[in-house]
Amino acid sequence: MKHRDDISETEALRLELEQTRQHLADTVQQLTHQLNVPLRLKEGAAERGSRLKANAGMAGERIRANAGYAGLRVKDTATQVPTLTKQHPKTTAAVGGAVLLGAGAAAWLATHRK
């Protein structure tokens, strides 16, 4: 009976030794990865690049959706301009004069700059 106990104890020690070796190998591999700065920089850059692409895609979708909405708003507003002009002729004249004055000032500045 002692012989069987010795074998099972030996096997238990072998298993424990193998587990310790595996744990040590994993630890060395993790440390090697952490000390490989160029590799870690590349991995981080790749991850940030992927996030940027994903965010840019979502932003593009939002811009397209908002542009469509803005286009509808401009179209709606443009169709209302004749009615608003008739309802507020003095305001229309003042805004038109201000636009012409600004355009004239911009043209004058463009030709007189040195």
Side-chain angles (χ1 to χ4, degrees), residues 17-82:
L17 180 62
E18 182 57 37
Q19 288 174 347
T20 303
R21 283 181 182 159
Q22 187 59 48
H23 180 70
L24 182 60
D26 291 344
T27 303
V28 168
Q29 188 175 15
Q30 288 174 354
L31 288 172
T32 301
H33 182 264
Q34 287 183 357
L35 293 174
N36 191 346
V37 175
L39 176 64
R40 288 180 52 214
L41 288 173
K42 285 179 187 177
E43 290 172 348
E47 182 181 323
R48 285 186 291 283
S50 295
R51 267 189 287 173
L52 265 174
K53 284 181 185 178
N55 288 340
M58 287 188 292
E61 289 174 16
R62 277 190 246 130
I63 288 169
R64 281 189 290 280
N66 288 335
Y69 177 72
L72 291 174
R73 294 283 314 267
V74 168
K75 184 178 177 184
D76 290 344
T77 304
T79 59
Q80 295 173 359
V81 168

Side-chain angles (χ1 to χ4, degrees), residues 88-101:
H88 306 285
K90 291 181 183 177
T91 304
T92 303
V95 169
V99 169
L100 286 174
L101 182 63

